[in-house]
Amino acid sequence: MEIDEDNSPSTSAAEPSVSVSDGETTVPAANNTPIQPVQPTVPPFVPPAVVPPIAPIPAIPPHPIVNPLAPLPVRLPVLKPPVPQNGGVKTSDSDSDHEDAGRATTGEYEISEESRLVRERQEKAMQELLMKRRAAALAVPTNDMAVRTRLRRLGEPITLFGEREMERRDRLRMILAKLDSEGQLEKLMKAHEEEEAAVSAKVEDIEEDIEYPFYTEGPKELLDARIDIAKYSVVKAAARVQRAQRKRDDPDEDMDAEIDWALKQAGNLVLDCSEIGDDRPLSGCSFSRDGKLLATCSLSGVAKLWSMPKVSKVSALKGHTERATDVTFSPVHDHLATASADRTAKLWNTDGSLLKTFEGHLDRLARIAFHPSGKYFGTTSFDKTWRLWDIESGMELLLQEGHSRSVYGIAFHQDGSLAASCGLDALARVWDLRTGRSILALEGHVKPVLGVNFSPNGYHLATGGEDNTCRIWDLRKKKSLYIIPAHSNLISQVKFEPQEGYYLVTASYDMTAKVWSGKDFKPVKSLPGHEAKVTASDISEGIINSGSTMTVC
């Protein structure tokens, strides 16, 4: 049976219909006359059941009713987790991670340019921190020459423009830390050690037959001076110890009352007079042993003598070609000595006549001090040495090295057995004049030490420097006993009261001089009045004089 494709069951009623019955086909007439249909044998068409709506829904455009289909699986939308601001990536709990079969993993999220820069900065900061920690753990030489040598061996410039010693040392530390992080430091240092061993072996072979003494031989005059100083110091030390024992054992001696009386006298000090010493700043001052004369020196190179207490000019000592740096009276004779930047020291009489000139230093002189015996005096210089001179012969007895930088201050123990020096290396040293040995190195100041002085009690030493502090050292314990935060600027000089050491005077660039108790080192009196830096001070039988930078008004 063939059925025309154009005659489907869904054809509308206006179109002619075709009926089939037992293999016969009935076609309607062409004039559309209705024909009585034959009784069909096909079962009647049953319309599909319509499911009534459960809830009212909005009007929907009419559409043909179809048979209900099985519900399709609904796939939820895949949401990418937000990227945190700090560059981190968070994991997602969505099923899409499993369905994508590892298409997007935790470390493969795209990171914004800003987050990437933040992460790079963090990594760089962490690397710098680790580098600094590694550098801090490395041992670096403190000697500047050793630092330069190490830099040269590493192939680095030994110095940069405007680079200071500490900056050069820090640069070497960072270079070593960088090599250590790259694993090259041990190999490089091993190669340098082998090279040094080879060089030292060659030097030892060359110098194998040469024997050097462990000391430097001095002249016979130095030996005689050491013997003389030893004899003098034994007598003075015995007298000092006996006097201390007598004061301790004598029931009539009241040490506390005596100290309190001396401090009270110092606390009552007032400004007695003021005098213009020179048209250039004053650099030093000193009282004579009887207190009747005062000597001053200035940057003009002229030293002047003044009568006390009227402070009238007596004479002018002219002879230096450069500025005078210090002046001091002899403790035994009516002589005084001056030091100058012309690398010489001169011995004068009180009438203004020149007695001797002492030459030998290679750079300008700083301070000068007489030995208690009056036979010798010491000078310090910027050539990193201090020297001991014989006054009678004018001969240089001792050239003493030991400071790594310029030597500035010098003082002698009242017994005559010891000398103390201080310098720009922030170090003070105590020397035994009888043997020539350095018996103490006093470390504590963080800046150059400019003043040093022994106490008459025999076991205290005072130092003052550019760190604005005055330190009291106990020679018996070999350590710092007390630190006085004395001034707001550098301390130019320190002096103990010369009789018993009951008080201490400090001079400073803060335009003041101050008096401190020698017992507990508490402040006793502040002496203002100067209008510029106070460069020197001296004490004579309860009278305190201070020299300052002054100009003619």
Side-chain angles (χ1 to χ4, degrees):
M1 179 181 63
E2 296 179 1
I3 301 175
D4 191 359
E5 294 178 358
D6 296 337
N7 300 327
S8 62
S10 62
T11 305
S12 62
E15 297 178 353
S17 62
V18 179
S19 61
V20 180
S21 175
D22 297 335
E24 297 181 358
T25 304
T26 303
V27 181
N31 55 3
N32 295 332
T33 304
I35 301 175
Q36 191 70 28
V38 182
Q39 190 69 27
T41 59
V42 181
F45 175 77
V46 180
V50 179
V51 180
I54 298 176
I57 58 177
I60 300 176
H63 59 277
I65 299 174
V66 296
N67 293 329
L69 302 176
L72 296 175
V74 179
R75 174 172 295 182
L76 297 176
V78 178
L79 299 177
K80 291 186 178 181
V83 179
Q85 294 296 327
N86 58 0
V89 179
K90 297 183 178 179
T91 58
S92 174
D93 296 334
S94 173
D95 294 338
S96 62
D97 293 339
H98 302 285
E99 293 177 1
D100 293 341
R103 181 180 60 189
T105 59
T106 304
E108 296 178 355
Y109 288 115
E110 293 185 1
I111 302 176
S112 65
E113 183 68 17
E114 182 181 358
S115 299
R116 184 181 64 79
L117 294 177
V118 170
R119 179 177 294 180
E120 289 179 356
R121 286 197 298 268
Q122 289 179 344
E123 293 177 354
K124 185 178 180 180
M126 183 60 67
Q127 291 177 358
E128 291 179 355
L129 178 61
L130 295 177
M131 185 74 70
K132 290 180 179 180
R133 288 182 177 178
R134 188 179 289 110
L138 295 175
V140 180
T142 56
N143 190 344
D144 186 59
M145 293 303 298
V147 172
R148 291 171 181 261
T149 303
R150 186 70 61 84
L151 287 170
R152 182 181 291 109
R153 290 177 179 174
L154 294 175
E156 298 289 336
I158 61 174
T159 186
L160 301 178
F161 181 76
E163 187 177 47
R164 294 180 296 181
E165 295 180 359
M166 293 304 298
E167 295 171 348
R168 188 178 302 113
R169 187 167 179 261
D170 292 338
R171 180 163 63 90
L172 174 61
R173 188 189 300 276
M174 295 305 297
I175 292 173
L176 294 178
K178 183 178 180 181
L179 292 175
D180 188 23
S181 64
E182 297 174 356
Q184 302 178 9
L185 181 60
E186 294 183 0
K187 182 179 179 180
L188 189 62
M189 295 305 296
K190 185 177 180 181
H192 288 324
E193 290 176 359
E194 293 176 356
E195 182 181 354
E196 289 180 356
V199 173
S200 61
K202 293 181 181 179
V203 174
E204 289 177 359
D205 293 339
I206 296 174
E207 300 180 354
E208 185 175 2
D209 299 332
I210 303 176
E211 294 183 0
Y212 291 98
F214 67 95
Y215 61 91
T216 301
E217 290 191 26
K220 183 179 182 301
E221 290 81 2
L222 176 60
L223 177 61
D224 295 338
R226 292 196 190 282
I227 295 174
D228 181 67
I229 290 173
K231 293 179 179 179
Y232 175 85
S233 64
V234 168
V235 176
K236 294 284 287 187
R240 175 175 55 84
V241 171
Q242 290 177 0
R243 185 172 66 254
Q245 290 177 346
R246 184 179 66 254
K247 288 185 176 182
R248 182 194 61 186
D249 299 335
D250 191 351
D252 296 333
E253 292 283 350
D254 190 347
M255 289 296 300
D256 293 336
E258 187 174 348
I259 294 175
D260 292 340
W261 179 86
L263 294 179
K264 183 178 179 181
Q265 295 295 319
N268 294 330
L269 288 171
V270 294
L271 180 62
D272 183 62
C273 63
S274 179
E275 182 69 27
I276 297 175
D278 200 277
D279 56 352
R280 295 293 306 281
L282 301 183
S283 54
C285 62
S286 176
F287 278 107
S288 62
R289 55 194 176 100
D290 56 4
K292 295 180 179 180
L293 291 176
L294 170 67
T296 61
C297 63
S298 71
L299 300 188
S300 64
V302 178
K304 296 180 181 180
L305 293 178
W306 310 80
S307 64
M308 298 299 293
K310 295 182 179 181
V311 195
S312 59
K313 182 178 175 181
V314 176
S315 62
L317 313 178
K318 298 180 180 180
H320 288 293
T321 58
E322 292 286 343
R323 60 188 181 276
T325 57
D326 197 17
V327 61
T328 183
F329 267 100
S330 170
V332 178
H333 306 100
D334 292 331
H335 297 160
L336 68 155
T338 57
S340 172
D342 61 6
R343 307 179 184 180
T344 65
K346 295 182 181 295
L347 184 67
W348 309 81
N349 205 337
T350 52
D351 58 5
S353 60
L354 177 63
L355 300 179
K356 281 187 179 66
T357 299
F358 301 85
E359 299 178 353
H361 280 288
L362 303 179
D363 206 340
R364 67 184 187 271
L365 274 63
R367 296 293 186 186
I368 188 170
F370 274 95
H371 188 268
S373 66
K375 298 180 179 180
Y376 319 99
F377 69 80
T379 56
T380 61
S381 171
F382 281 74
D383 61 4
K384 303 179 183 179
T385 68
W386 68 270
R387 308 192 185 204
L388 187 67
W389 308 83
D390 188 318
I391 294 178
E392 184 177 356
S393 65
M395 180 181 179
E396 177 188 306
L397 298 176
L398 174 66
L399 185 157
Q400 185 64 64
E401 298 176 335
H403 289 270
S404 61
R405 298 186 66 182
S406 303
V407 187
Y408 197 86
I410 187 170
F412 290 97
H413 195 281
Q414 281 202 346
D415 296 348
S417 58
L418 304 178
S421 62
C422 61
L424 306 189
D425 55 359
L427 191 67
R429 285 187 177 274
V430 179
W431 310 85
D432 190 340
L433 296 176
R434 299 162 296 185
T435 61
R437 295 180 180 179
S438 173
I439 59 176
L440 279 178
L442 306 177
E443 301 180 2
H445 287 280
V446 296
K447 288 187 177 181
V449 185
L450 305 179
V452 61
N453 193 242
F454 283 99
S455 172
N457 62 20
Y459 50 85
H460 282 165
L461 177 72
T463 57
E466 288 188 10
D467 57 3
N468 307 345
T469 65
C470 176
R471 285 179 176 261
I472 308 299
W473 307 85
D474 193 324
L475 302 181
R476 302 166 298 181
K477 300 179 181 179
K478 300 181 180 181
K479 66 177 183 179
S480 177
L481 178 66
Y482 201 86
I483 302 175
I484 306 174
H487 294 271
S488 59
N489 206 332
L490 66 85
I491 297 176
S492 56
Q493 201 167 43
V494 293
K495 285 285 182 71
F496 275 100
E497 181 267 316
Q499 300 299 323
E500 300 293 340
Y502 288 153
Y503 55 84
L504 169 72
V505 177
T506 58
S508 171
Y509 276 20
D510 64 1
M511 301 184 292
T512 64
K514 294 184 179 181
V515 183
W516 309 86
S517 170
K519 180 180 179 181
D520 51 14
F521 307 104
K522 292 182 178 180
V524 176
K525 182 75 173 181
S526 179
L527 306 176
H530 287 291
E531 298 178 356
K533 304 171 183 176
V534 182
T535 57
S537 65
D538 196 21
I539 309 172
S540 176
E541 297 182 1
I543 303 175
I544 300 179
N545 176 75
S546 55
S548 169
T549 54
M550 299 181 187
T551 55
V552 176
C553 298

